[in-house]
Amino acid sequence: MENNSNRPMQGGQYQNVPRQGNQYQNIPPQNGQYQDMPQGGQYPAPQGRPVQNPPYPQYPQQNNVPPRGNPPVQPQGNTYPPRNNPQGNSYYNSTGRSNDKPAPKQKSPKQKSGGGKKAAVIIAVILAVLLIAGTVIAAVFIAASSGNTPEKIVEALSSGRYGDAVELYEDKYGDGKTNDKLNEELIKRLYDLEDEFKDGEISYSAAMREIEAVKEMNISEIAEDIEKTEEYIEKLNAAEEGTSPEENLGNEPISGSAPEITSATTLNGVVLAASNTNSARSFGPEKTLDGYYDSCWCVNTTEEGGAGASIRFNLSSPSLVGGIKLVNGNLYMPEDDIFKSNGQIKNFTLTFSDGTKKSFTASYNAAASGKFEVFNFDKPVNTEYIILTVDSGYVGEKYTTNVCLGEFTAF
């Protein structure tokens, strides 16, 4: 073959460039055709002079290697095939994001100010709820307290706690003030007081003391009712003093006047000291005759229940006694169960000036009632005094060797 090295170029391209190793390399043909190209061969690249902008044919990929030049842009989400990658990991595109997985969301930093505002709102809501609840509870309590005040006043009167009744009235209503509910309850109490005195459940002195307590309230609307009750009890008392004991004691022949206790004296046992919180309060024997159920005689002995304690009641003159009445226990502040802490009389013996003795058993005053418990004699006794001796007592829950007596009277 002739040497084509000196052939002139046409259009900047050599024609019939001799082969090197029987291969022509990347020489584009004139007008898109190769000339005198050996079968199965390729033109070799020109030697010594550059080729201007040679168009490179696109060859099929081999061994999964992308073609020369810039690779085509892959659609979003597609992955490149593994390239000599035994783990099969995916290539990353230009954004650094895996093509087969969504990019992880960026976590925004926590805003402390937002959390503080939320906590403040929660606290404000809680405080508002508590305030509303407290207001409702207070309103209910005030309403309940207001509704129960008349009943509490009457209960204090019927229990002999006259001072408490007056204090409850003054705290709630004030001097001279009232309402229909209180007036109604007090009038009912006056009627009950008349019945209790008539039935011998309350002494004359206690009945008059209760009337005085109601008077202290200075309620003009019930002044007439108070006056009528006072007159009724005074008439009954006058009639009782002038009535022969034969009418009351089974027509027994008697002589003398109705018994009147003028004083009381402790004979055995140590009188308890006065309360430290109220120096005017004491537990002497005279407390059994003052008409106050919440005052009492209390003594301490060496025996359980105050056994062995005794108190003497002196009469104004020798009198025929057909029975006695008493209020058992210490009724001071019964709402605090103080009466349960102290002992009460259980079995007792009455001794008279003529040597006569009579024994009885008193009931335990579990309800702190101010009503008298009545003990009738089988036969009246003419005597100058009455001595009550405690044979056994109901043991107090706190003070086990003392005994208390609220009121005592004879008839």
Side-chain angles (χ1 to χ4, degrees):
M1 178 179 297
E2 65 177 338
N3 188 357
N4 294 324
S5 59
N6 295 319
R7 275 188 186 180
M9 295 183 292
Q10 295 182 3
Q13 300 292 330
Y14 290 99
Q15 295 180 354
N16 299 325
V17 179
R19 294 173 298 175
Q20 294 182 3
N22 297 326
Q23 295 291 332
Y24 293 97
Q25 296 181 355
N26 301 327
I27 302 301
Q30 185 177 8
N31 297 324
Q33 298 293 329
Y34 291 99
Q35 296 180 3
D36 299 329
M37 178 179 175
Q39 186 175 1
Q42 293 181 350
Y43 290 101
Q47 302 264 337
R49 296 188 69 176
V51 179
Q52 296 180 359
N53 299 323
Y56 290 93
Q58 297 294 324
Y59 293 94
Q61 299 181 16
Q62 295 181 1
N63 296 328
N64 296 324
V65 178
R68 300 174 75 176
N70 294 328
V73 177
Q74 296 292 331
Q76 182 71 23
N78 294 335
T79 60
Y80 289 99
R83 183 176 179 181
N84 297 327
N85 189 355
Q87 287 81 15
N89 294 334
S90 302
Y91 287 97
Y92 285 86
N93 58 19
S94 59
T95 62
R97 183 182 300 172
S98 174
N99 291 323
D100 57 353
K101 294 183 180 180
K105 295 182 178 179
Q106 296 294 328
K107 295 183 179 180
S108 59
K110 295 182 178 180
Q111 299 294 330
K112 294 184 179 180
S113 59
K117 291 180 180 178
K118 184 176 182 181
V121 171
I122 294 175
I123 293 173
V125 171
I126 294 174
L127 292 176
V129 171
L130 292 176
L131 180 60
I132 294 173
T135 303
V136 172
I137 293 173
V140 172
F141 177 79
I142 292 173
S145 177
S146 175
N148 292 335
T149 300
E151 287 82 357
K152 290 179 180 179
I153 293 174
V154 171
E155 192 275 333
L157 289 171
S158 61
S159 299
R161 295 181 288 112
Y162 308 126
D164 290 347
V166 175
E167 288 181 4
L168 283 170
Y169 168 77
E170 291 178 348
D171 290 342
K172 175 60 182 176
Y173 301 99
D175 186 29
K177 296 180 181 179
T178 185
N179 59 25
D180 293 340
K181 177 64 175 177
L182 177 61
N183 294 342
E184 180 182 348
E185 293 295 328
L186 288 175
I187 291 173
K188 287 181 180 179
R189 176 55 198 162
L190 291 172
Y191 290 155
D192 291 340
L193 182 62
E194 294 175 1
D195 294 336
E196 289 175 8
F197 180 76
K198 182 180 179 181
D199 296 337
E201 297 178 359
I202 188 172
S203 68
Y204 174 75
S205 60
M208 296 308 294
R209 181 65 188 88
E210 183 170 340
I211 291 175
E212 288 299 322
V214 179
K215 284 183 177 180
E216 288 182 29
M217 300 177 189
N218 196 27
I219 303 174
S220 59
E221 289 86 347
I222 63 172
E224 184 176 352
D225 297 278
I226 298 173
E227 183 179 355
K228 288 182 178 179
T229 298
E230 185 176 15
E231 290 177 357
Y232 177 80
I233 292 178
E234 286 179 346
K235 288 180 179 180
L236 284 179
N237 184 60
E240 183 179 345
E241 290 180 353
T243 300
S244 170
E246 295 179 3
E247 298 177 17
N248 297 326
L249 302 173
N251 297 320
E252 295 288 339
I254 60 170
S255 61
S257 61
E260 179 184 356
I261 301 175
T262 59
S263 63
T265 306
T266 299
L267 298 179
N268 189 16
V270 178
V271 176
L272 297 181
S275 171
N276 292 331
T277 59
N278 185 354
S279 59
R281 182 173 176 79
S282 64
F283 300 95
E286 70 280 359
K287 297 300 183 181
T288 61
L289 307 174
D290 63 358
Y292 291 90
Y293 300 146
D294 59 348
S295 66
C296 61
W297 168 69
C298 282
V299 296
N300 193 33
T301 68
T302 58
E303 302 295 331
E304 283 191 348
S310 59
I311 181 173
R312 173 173 168 159
F313 300 96
N314 300 310
L315 305 180
S316 60
S317 61
S319 303
L320 190 66
V321 179
I324 61 99
K325 298 184 290 186
L326 60 81
V327 176
N328 208 0
N330 180 358
L331 273 62
Y332 178 67
M333 297 180 67
E335 63 274 12
D336 294 335
D337 289 344
I338 290 180
F339 71 99
K340 292 182 180 180
S341 300
N342 295 272
Q344 297 185 24
I345 297 173
K346 185 176 183 181
N347 297 311
F348 65 95
T349 298
L350 299 177
T351 303
F352 305 95
S353 61
D354 65 354
T356 302
K357 294 186 178 183
K358 295 182 181 293
S359 297
F360 300 92
T361 300
S363 301
Y364 180 70
N365 193 356
S369 172
K371 292 186 176 182
F372 281 101
E373 185 174 5
V374 180
F375 301 90
N376 289 301
F377 299 165
D378 56 350
K379 179 183 279 191
V381 178
N382 196 354
T383 185
E384 297 178 359
Y385 59 81
I386 303 171
I387 298 175
L388 185 153
T389 301
V390 180
D391 300 320
S392 65
Y394 297 101
V395 180
E397 294 179 356
K398 183 176 181 180
Y399 308 108
T400 60
T401 59
N402 80 337
V403 65
C404 300
L405 176 63
E407 285 290 300
F408 183 91
T409 189
F411 58 87

